[in-house]
Amino acid sequence: MRTELPKGGAELLQLDVKTDNMTYKKVGIAIVFTWFLVGGTAHFIARDFFLQIIPPSLPLRMPAVYISGFFELVGALGLLFAGWRRAAGLGLFILTVLVTPANIYMWRNPQLFPSISEDLLAFRLVLQIALLACIWWSTLPERILKS
């Protein structure tokens, strides 16, 4: 038995796919916004923790905690405005890449972080890759998603 789409059904189906894409994109933006709003705020509340995860060989460690927290908050807020969303996404993507040495440092020195399991430290690196993909995809302009 063959089921035919009603007249205009193909167009309706495409509309549903676009709607689903936009729904997923909004969920992605919400995830990225929440991640960086909470994380950026934590840089100012749990300064000592963030200082501890920066490799000691890097200079200006405490200013780096404040600067990265500030830009996490600015990036999160930028996601709320469609005109700024792509720039905010690019900034958060670059920032996430730049803080990767801290996550690698934690993973390679688990003895310095006994309250965090080694599995969780390794999972953070995988999660960071997923976060990068989410930032990139969810902040792509709609015209690129449509093509």
Side-chain angles (χ1 to χ4, degrees):
M1 173 190 251
R2 186 172 170 200
T3 306
E4 295 286 328
L5 287 174
K7 187 173 183 165
E11 291 81 14
L12 182 62
L13 186 60
Q14 285 179 338
L15 178 62
D16 288 344
V17 170
K18 288 178 187 176
T19 302
D20 286 347
N21 244 354
M22 295 312 296
T23 300
Y24 293 138
K25 187 175 174 183
K26 288 177 184 176
V27 169
I29 291 168
I31 290 168
V32 174
F33 171 80
T34 302
W35 182 274
F36 286 103
L37 181 68
V38 171
T41 302
H43 279 71
F44 296 95
I45 295 171
R47 296 178 307 269
D48 292 338
F49 171 76
F50 286 95
L51 181 64
Q52 182 185 5
I53 71 172
I54 297 175
S57 60
L58 295 178
L60 305 170
R61 292 169 58 225
M62 187 54 84
V65 170
Y66 291 124
I67 291 167
S68 59
F70 172 78
F71 281 110
E72 286 188 19
L73 291 171
V74 169
L77 294 175
L79 294 173
L80 299 177
F81 302 95
W84 287 94
R85 191 165 292 142
R86 186 60 181 158
L90 290 171
L92 291 171
F93 188 93
I94 292 167
L95 180 62
T96 302
V97 170
L98 291 175
V99 301
T100 298
N103 292 332
I104 293 171
Y105 174 74
M106 290 180 74
W107 174 63
R108 292 188 59 180
N109 298 284
Q111 72 282 2
L112 299 176
F113 309 96
S115 63
I116 305 172
S117 76
E118 289 186 40
D119 289 340
L120 185 57
L121 293 174
F123 180 69
R124 285 184 67 203
L125 295 172
V126 175
L127 185 62
Q128 191 156 352
I129 293 168
L131 178 64
L132 286 167
C134 188
I135 295 167
W136 187 262
W137 179 79
S138 66
T139 62
L140 279 174
E142 291 178 34
R143 68 181 185 282
I144 293 175
L145 286 176
K146 289 178 183 177
S147 47

